[in-house]
Amino acid sequence: MIPQLYSPAKGRRCSESCLDLLAIQLVRYYQKQNLAPAAASIEAIGFRVGRQLVERYTQNRPRLGEHLDVIKFICKEFWADMFGKTVDNLRTNHRGTFVLKDNNFRWVTRLSANQQGLGTPAQPSAVELAKDFLILPCAIVRGALCHLGVDCAVTADCTSLPACDFTINLKMR
């Protein structure tokens, strides 16, 4: 069975392979454009997608209160719907920093499987490529958190593919 993303509002489904190909083409397209920085354009798209998705997922739910409740919702429900499984580990320093660890992040598994031939002078390494591909999921998570009332910055670290650490730093007011 092919894992599929599900939109509960209208029962629409999207194949995971279609989403993978869309993300790959999105990164390639903006890297070739010279009009705007690629990272900023991809970030804007991901932010909007994250806001819209979490709006649909939470429309029939009571409002989440504490930051920790919002982060737990992202780790369990949103992450499972968006990326096919829950987060493997959640850590916090109780001062506004959360680290979400996904030991097999699906959006970079193909990069880790095809590491032969990468890292040559003509081709960047898989970790360098993964940095570009992780802009979109970071922006999606940031958009979702923003819609839930959490102002934050989201970054990703993927030094040992396919494992990824997503760091959420809350912006204290």
Side-chain angles (χ1 to χ4, degrees), residues 11 44 65 71 111 162 169:
I71 298 293
L111 288 175
N169 291 313

Side-chain angles (χ1 to χ4, degrees), residues 21-80:
L21 292 173
L22 177 66
I24 290 168
Q25 289 304 316
L26 184 71
V27 170
R28 285 185 183 164
Y29 174 79
Y30 280 107
Q31 283 177 338
K32 290 180 183 178
Q33 299 298 314
N34 294 326
L35 301 175
S41 300
I42 295 169
E43 168 81 21
I45 291 169
F47 185 82
R48 184 172 178 198
V49 167
R51 285 183 69 113
Q52 290 174 338
L53 283 173
V54 85
E55 180 179 357
R56 286 186 180 188
Y57 292 152
T58 60
Q59 68 185 1
N60 296 327
R61 297 177 59 117
R63 186 121 174 111
L64 298 169
E66 296 291 320
H67 291 310
L68 186 58
D69 295 333
V70 173
I71 298 293
K72 285 180 182 179
F73 168 79
I74 292 293
C75 290
K76 293 178 181 177
E77 296 179 40
F78 184 78
W79 204 273

Side-chain angles (χ1 to χ4, degrees), residues 43 47 67 71 93 95-98 138 142-143 145-146 149-155 167-173:
E43 168 81 21
F47 185 82
H67 291 310
I71 298 293
N93 65 357
R95 284 183 249 132
T97 301
F98 297 90
C138 285
R142 191 173 73 82
L145 287 166
C146 181
V150 177
D151 191 19
C152 65
V154 180
T155 57
T167 305
I168 299 170
N169 291 313
L170 302 183
K171 296 179 181 173
M172 300 298 173
R173 294 178 189 176

